[in-house]
């Protein structure tokens, strides 16, 4: 197997284990999952931390999510488009939720990782803004600003780092979109007009 293929296979085997066990995953577990001898890992990666860093880079690669957002298209009504986007992004965040607990020391001083995270956020905001763009004239804020706010609402509903998860964790996808588009005021039920009563 070519070195790049072996590297990709080891990362693929590590990702589900990292999601399940965090940084406590052992190289023995990884080797067993990959179907290789433990020493094979160190022929590809200098140490376990390097393998975990490479796996985190793959896990937090936003390009597949950006492509999925582009696939939603703009034919459906705005609310339906955004609900589909929220469902997709929340699912991805839940999949990687345990990775948020991986020790930060793994990524300290890793400029490439920080750059990828920032670029990934930009890709997602751009993808959301493209879904919002056809309805630009209906909104008080630009599609880009609206997309950023939506991403904050999504992240707040999924990650404890944004505050007490209980405050937002019970919001469903449609409610997140409603908070964005309608605000938080409860709308009173329409009352019959006096003219229609006579």
């Amino acid at each position: 197997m070519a070195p790049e293929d072996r590297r990709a296979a080891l990362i693929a085997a590590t990702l589900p284990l990292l999601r399940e066990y965090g940084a406590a995953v052992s190289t023995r577990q990884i080797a067993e999952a990959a179907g290789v001898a433990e020493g094979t890992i160190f022929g590809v990666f200098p140490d376990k931390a390097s393998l975990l860093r490479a796996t985190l880079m793959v896990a937090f690669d936003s390009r597949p999510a950006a492509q999925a957002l582009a696939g939603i298209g703009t034919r459906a009504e705005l609310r339906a488009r955004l609900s589909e986007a929220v469902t997709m992004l929340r699912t991805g965040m839940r999949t990687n939720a345990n990775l948020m607990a991986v020790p930060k020391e793994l990524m300290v001083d890793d400029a490439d990782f920080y750059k990828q995270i920032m670029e990934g956020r930009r890709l997602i905001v751009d993808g959301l803004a493209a879904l919002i763009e056809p309805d630009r004239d209906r909104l008080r804020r630009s599609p880009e600003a609206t997309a950023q706010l939506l991403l904050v609402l999504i992240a707040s509903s999924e990650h404890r780092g944004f505050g007490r998860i209980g405050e937002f964790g019970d919001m469903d996808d449609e409610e997140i979109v409603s908070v964005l588009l309608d605000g938080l005021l409860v709308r009173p039920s329409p009352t019959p007009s006096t003219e229609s009563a006579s």
Side-chain angles (χ1 to χ4, degrees):
M1 186 182 286
E4 279 306 306
D5 293 337
R6 186 171 293 141
R7 176 184 169 86
L10 286 169
I11 290 171
T14 302
L15 185 51
L17 295 171
L18 189 59
R19 284 177 172 146
E20 184 174 352
Y21 300 107
V25 63
S26 70
T27 53
R28 184 177 62 77
Q29 288 173 301
I30 294 167
E32 286 176 4
V36 299
E38 196 170 351
T40 302
I41 293 171
F42 302 108
V44 180
F45 294 94
D47 52 32
K48 175 184 163 184
S50 298
L51 171 55
L52 296 186
R53 274 194 295 274
T55 303
L56 287 169
M57 294 281 277
V58 169
F60 289 112
D61 182 358
S62 294
R63 289 175 295 184
Q67 290 171 352
L69 286 173
I72 292 172
T74 56
R75 289 187 180 181
E77 192 270 332
L78 176 63
R79 201 172 294 269
R81 294 193 305 266
L82 294 185
S83 290
E84 187 175 346
V86 168
T87 299
M88 192 229 5
L89 292 173
R90 290 181 89 187
T91 299
M93 287 182 184
R94 285 184 197 128
T95 300
N96 283 335
N98 287 344
L99 299 182
M100 302 301 282
V102 171
K104 303 293 183 272
E105 303 83 60
L106 276 175
M107 307 313 291
V108 167
D109 298 327
D110 191 326
D112 289 338
F113 183 70
Y114 180 75
K115 181 180 175 185
Q116 178 180 313
I117 292 296
M118 297 313 291
E119 175 66 13
R121 187 173 298 160
R122 187 192 63 74
L123 285 173
I124 297 301
V125 168
D126 288 352
L128 289 170
L131 293 177
I132 296 165
E133 178 62 38
D135 292 273
R136 169 188 287 272
D137 294 341
R138 298 174 61 200
L139 302 168
R140 286 183 289 178
R141 299 287 177 168
S142 70
E144 294 76 19
T146 305
Q148 289 177 10
L149 181 55
L150 179 57
L151 192 55
V152 168
L153 287 170
I154 295 167
S156 297
S157 74
E158 293 298 324
H159 294 309
R160 286 176 175 81
F162 281 83
R164 294 190 339 230
I165 196 76
E167 293 292 330
F168 301 106
D170 62 346
M171 293 175 73
D172 63 26
D173 302 338
E174 286 74 25
E175 186 178 4
I176 289 173
V177 173
S178 177
V179 167
L180 177 76
L181 298 179
D182 305 321
L184 288 171
L185 286 176
V186 175
R187 302 294 194 266
S189 299
T191 54
S193 68
T194 53
E195 289 180 13
S196 62
S198 56

